[in-house]
Amino acid sequence: LKKRPFDWLRLSDLQAYKIGIVQDYANGEEFDAMIKKGLLKTDTAPSDVSNLRKLLAQRIDVIVIDKNVLRQLLITEPGLQANRDQIEFHPQELTNFSMHICFQHTERGLAMRKSFNAALEKVDIKKFENTYFKLTDAAGSR
């Protein structure tokens, strides 16, 4: 929350906070290991939306959430839209999972992979994301 400044550099810095996590989500090996060892205080929710509501109600200090998921939820969830200016995303990454797409190991699948990879190289992902969220936000505020 913007009104409750928060900063961290190392995972050990997070020990001072009550952290909202989503049930059954992986949050990085080291972070998850610290939870299992009882080194981090966590509060488990069934969804990111639940965590955001708890954060806004100040029942937890911070939450673990993907930046794009946060952006999407703040635009599309009616109960969060009015309070979205209160929420701030910390630039320090907890983890960065790679994303994979799978194709069948057939002649057609390999051709699709080649075509997909060629098209992906032409896309400015950051520009695409920003355009998408601006358009989504504009449509949601109508």
Side-chain angles (χ1 to χ4, degrees):
L1 294 175
K2 288 180 182 177
K3 65 183 174 184
R4 297 174 76 187
F6 158 78
D7 200 18
W8 71 286
L9 292 173
R10 291 174 295 289
L11 287 176
S12 60
D13 297 337
L14 300 175
Q15 292 176 308
Y17 301 98
K18 187 173 184 181
I19 306 165
I21 60 171
V22 176
Q23 182 177 343
D24 300 325
Y25 278 21
N27 296 302
E29 288 181 32
E30 189 178 354
F31 183 87
D32 291 343
M34 288 180 74
I35 292 171
K36 282 185 181 180
K37 291 178 185 174
L39 299 174
L40 295 174
K41 295 175 280 196
T42 59
D43 183 283
T44 304
S47 70
D48 288 311
V49 172
S50 294
N51 265 340
L52 285 163
R53 288 184 179 133
K54 287 187 215 178
L55 181 67
L56 288 165
Q58 298 182 33
R59 292 177 31 214
I60 51 181
D61 300 310
V62 296
I63 65 170
V64 176
I65 190 169
D66 177 82
K67 186 175 188 173
N68 290 324
V69 170
L70 173 64
R71 287 173 78 180
Q72 182 70 20
L73 291 174
L74 293 179
I75 291 168
T76 61
E77 281 294 316
L80 300 174
Q81 290 173 349
N83 298 306
R84 69 182 181 184
D85 292 337
Q86 296 178 37
I87 297 172
E88 188 169 47
F89 192 85
H90 193 283
Q92 172 85 2
E93 287 186 346
L94 181 60
T95 191
N96 191 347
F97 291 113
S98 60
M99 182 150 319
H100 303 270
I101 185 168
C102 301
F103 298 94
Q104 290 183 337
H105 194 66
T106 62
E107 191 173 311
R108 181 173 181 263
L110 295 174
M112 289 174 64
R113 181 181 72 187
K114 185 177 178 181
S115 177
F116 178 85
N117 287 340
L120 189 59
E121 286 186 22
K122 297 175 187 175
V123 176
D124 179 341
I125 298 294
K126 287 295 174 200
K127 182 178 177 184
F128 179 83
E129 286 176 354
N130 288 330
T131 300
Y132 169 78
F133 284 115
K134 282 179 188 172
L135 291 172
T136 306
D137 195 17
S141 58
R142 285 186 198 154

